[in-house]
Amino acid sequence: MQYLLFFRGVCNLGALRGEKKKMPRITIELLRKRCEHNEGEISTLEELSLHQENIERIELLNQACRDLRILLLQYNLISKIENLHKLKKLEYLNLALNNIEAIENLEGLESLQKLDLTVNFVGDLRGVKTLRGNEHLEQLILTGNPCCDYEGYRQYVVATLPQLKELDMTRIERSERIKALQRYAEAEGDVIRGYRKYAAIRQAQRSRRESLETSEITDENNDSADEDAAFWNSTSQHTPEDRVAIARRTMKQQERRDGKSSTSNQPKKSALRLFSPEGRPYNVNQAKVAFRLNDEDDRENVTLDVTVYKHLDTSFVDVDVQPTYVRVTIKGKILQLSLPCEVTTDKSVAQRNVTTGSLIITMPRVNRLTALSATRKEVKSNKSVRRIRATPEVSKREYLEIGPPKRDNLDDLLRIVGNDEKSTKKKVADEDFVDNPDVPPLE
């Protein structure tokens, strides 16, 4: 009968909560915000902290963060342990200061070594039996839960979980385990009787909170300061329902304060200026990333190397190459650089380095010599347009020659004529020659 009343109370309270403002949920945006230490990469995340986020339900972690080893969810409004069975590598789970009332759905955590449930609302201690399959579980913390007040509590847990080495930060000795096993049946009876008493108390707490929720729904349009003062001056109890009500009221007040502050006159941030009044591009590094612009090593290209997070998805990076400047947008932040020379936009290439993840942009220079070597040029003047034929420069080959230099044919002809005159003169001289007998002949 008590279980039936408990279920009915939860259903009615859930119906009442449905009309209230929804609490924060675990989303991809929240995960990216909390995993900046892993360069924004979610799939390879090993440690995640989602504390103090007013989360009411565990979700999305099964699909997005399967490599988690440490999960911190303390100081939230989580009422049920769920959607964690695919985290096979999880070693430490912290659910302290939440609204958990039962130990359940932890059988799939094969590597779990430490479970922290400090200051929750665990009443049915028999749920620790579901932890027998967690062979590596060595530390369990249940301090601050109602079950800790049951007679035989420690003996029952020690006897139920033989793999435990510490319970509530106290080491379990071998002698203590032997005594707990001897008194197991008696301790189990004490735990069951303690839970029956606590279940009756919980039913009264739910009925009280249900009536308060009904009155709040009736006056839901009353947001005056008197209503807030009455709420904060009223007596609250340490129950899951009161914790949720306090969180909702706090969020409601915060929203009202934010609304007032947003309507007040606040100085507006100046818009980012990318160009001068004359149209000259500015050098802007809004993304605050390291970069290197190289225009000396390569005569053909200008290279820009931008340091980008190794695991950052390429969809968050946008490149815009213009003749006089290049702009790189990384997650909405702009890096703009003025180029030292004019480049060709249609032949520019942007690539990611597979090893480091850096972005490399190669921009070919504009070849001005090619433009000047056209066959025709158009020279524009105020009166007319004249067309001038460009005379391409012809290179002349030079050969290494061996022997006497070659002479032109004309020189040879002139030389022939000159030789005939000399020969005739020689013949005339020979006819007038008189030999001297006193001169000896040449030998």
Side-chain angles (χ1 to χ4, degrees):
M1 185 63 181
Q2 291 174 350
Y3 297 106
L4 180 60
L5 292 175
F6 167 75
F7 181 77
R8 186 185 305 165
V10 171
C11 291
N12 293 339
L13 186 57
L16 294 174
R17 289 179 181 176
E19 302 179 9
K20 294 289 185 179
K21 177 179 174 57
K22 292 183 179 180
M23 303 298 286
R25 300 180 62 180
I26 301 177
T27 60
I28 294 294
E29 290 74 16
L30 178 60
L31 295 179
R32 290 193 186 279
K33 176 184 175 182
R34 290 289 188 161
C35 66
E36 293 180 353
H37 61 282
N38 197 43
E39 298 181 350
E41 182 66 25
I42 299 177
S43 59
T44 60
L45 195 63
E46 295 187 356
E47 181 177 351
L48 177 62
S49 177
L50 295 174
H51 62 283
Q52 293 183 338
E53 292 287 346
N54 287 334
I55 299 170
E56 285 189 307
R57 185 185 178 193
I58 303 174
E59 55 187 342
L60 194 61
L61 301 180
N62 259 345
Q63 291 76 25
C65 310
R66 294 194 179 185
D67 291 340
L68 281 178
R69 296 183 181 273
I70 299 175
L71 178 57
L72 307 178
L73 293 169
Q74 68 270 25
Y75 215 126
N76 283 293
L77 303 172
I78 300 171
S79 59
K80 184 179 181 180
I81 304 175
E82 58 184 347
N83 298 325
L84 295 174
H85 59 281
K86 293 183 181 180
L87 305 182
K88 304 298 181 181
K89 300 180 181 180
L90 191 65
E91 299 175 0
Y92 175 35
L93 176 59
N94 191 335
L95 288 167
L97 292 165
N98 277 281
N99 295 341
I100 297 172
E101 300 192 54
I103 302 174
E104 56 187 349
N105 301 325
L106 294 173
E107 297 85 352
L109 306 183
E110 300 174 356
S111 304
L112 187 63
Q113 299 178 10
K114 182 177 180 180
L115 176 60
D116 191 349
L117 292 171
T118 305
V119 190
N120 274 274
F121 300 91
V122 178
D124 192 355
L125 191 57
R126 291 172 296 181
V128 296
K129 291 182 179 180
T130 61
L131 299 176
R132 287 177 176 174
N134 303 94
E135 299 178 356
H136 301 283
L137 184 63
E138 297 180 354
Q139 295 177 299
L140 176 62
I141 305 176
L142 293 171
T143 305
N145 285 272
C147 61
C148 296
D149 298 331
Y150 301 164
E151 188 176 353
Y153 148 74
R154 184 175 177 86
Q155 294 176 341
Y156 177 77
V157 176
V158 171
T160 303
L161 302 177
Q163 74 272 30
L164 273 188
K165 294 182 179 180
E166 289 185 8
L167 175 61
D168 297 337
M169 304 300 294
T170 303
R171 185 171 182 82
I172 301 173
E173 302 294 339
R174 185 169 180 269
S175 57
E176 182 184 5
R177 191 178 302 279
I178 294 174
K179 293 179 181 179
L181 290 172
Q182 292 174 350
R183 291 193 66 253
Y184 178 72
E186 182 181 353
E188 185 177 17
D190 293 337
V191 166
I192 293 174
R193 285 189 290 271
Y195 174 63
R196 288 176 179 174
K197 295 179 181 179
Y198 173 71
I201 296 173
R202 281 292 294 132
Q203 181 58 39
Q205 292 175 348
R206 292 190 189 94
S207 301
R208 168 186 168 274
R209 191 62 217 175
E210 184 178 347
S211 61
L212 292 176
E213 290 279 352
T214 305
S215 61
E216 289 179 4
I217 291 175
T218 305
D219 300 332
E220 62 180 354
N221 295 326
N222 185 12
D223 295 334
S224 61
D226 296 337
E227 181 191 0
D228 291 338
F231 177 84
W232 293 115
N233 291 330
S234 62
T235 303
S236 62
Q237 298 181 356
H238 181 58
T239 63
E241 295 78 17
D242 281 15
R243 290 192 72 228
V244 172
I246 293 172
R248 291 182 189 278
R249 180 68 61 167
T250 304
M251 290 181 62
K252 194 174 181 180
Q253 289 183 340
Q254 185 64 35
E255 286 181 357
R256 279 198 297 240
R257 285 195 295 267
D258 294 341
K260 292 180 180 179
S261 60
S262 62
T263 54
S264 60
N265 295 328
Q266 295 181 353
K268 296 182 179 180
K269 295 183 179 180
S270 59
L272 182 64
R273 298 179 61 184
L274 299 177
F275 298 94
S276 66
E278 297 80 14
R280 181 175 56 85
Y282 286 140
N283 291 330
V284 179
N285 190 2
Q286 186 186 23
K288 297 182 180 180
V289 293
F291 64 90
R292 182 174 181 268
L293 184 64
N294 187 356
D295 63 331
E296 297 179 356
D297 296 344
D298 191 351
R299 295 183 178 180
E300 301 293 332
N301 303 303
V302 178
T303 305
L304 174 62
D305 189 349
V306 183
T307 303
V308 182
Y309 295 127
K310 180 178 179 181
H311 300 288
L312 181 65
D313 197 318
T314 308
S315 61
F316 292 101
V317 182
D318 183 44
V319 179
D320 182 16
V321 179
Q322 297 296 330
T324 58
Y325 69 92
V326 58
R327 182 186 302 165
V328 181
T329 306
I330 304 173
K331 297 182 69 175
K333 303 295 183 179
I334 295 176
L335 167 66
Q336 179 173 290
L337 299 175
S338 178
L339 298 176
C341 62
E342 190 173 348
V343 299
T344 305
T345 59
D346 55 349
K347 295 182 180 180
S348 300
V349 179
Q351 295 176 331
R352 291 285 298 275
N353 191 314
V354 180
T355 304
T356 62
S358 60
L359 177 66
I360 301 175
I361 306 173
T362 305
M363 298 165 283
R365 301 173 186 261
V366 172
N367 192 354
R368 299 184 181 275
L369 296 178
T370 304
L372 294 175
S373 64
T375 57
R376 292 186 178 182
K377 297 179 181 179
E378 294 186 358
V379 180
K380 297 183 179 180
S381 61
N382 296 331
K383 297 181 178 180
S384 62
V385 177
R386 295 182 302 167
R387 289 191 177 182
I388 302 175
R389 182 180 298 275
T391 57
E393 182 181 356
V394 181
S395 62
K396 185 176 181 180
R397 293 187 177 181
E398 295 182 359
Y399 294 92
L400 178 63
E401 297 182 356
I402 301 175
K406 294 182 179 180
R407 298 191 178 108
D408 297 335
N409 296 332
L410 183 59
D411 294 340
D412 292 341
L413 294 174
L414 296 175
R415 193 175 299 110
I416 291 172
V417 174
N419 290 338
D420 292 341
E421 292 178 355
K422 290 181 180 179
S423 61
T424 55
K425 290 180 180 180
K426 186 175 182 181
K427 289 180 180 179
V428 174
D430 290 343
E431 292 177 356
D432 299 337
F433 177 73
V434 178
D435 190 13
N436 189 359
D438 296 334
V439 177
L442 295 174
E443 295 180 357

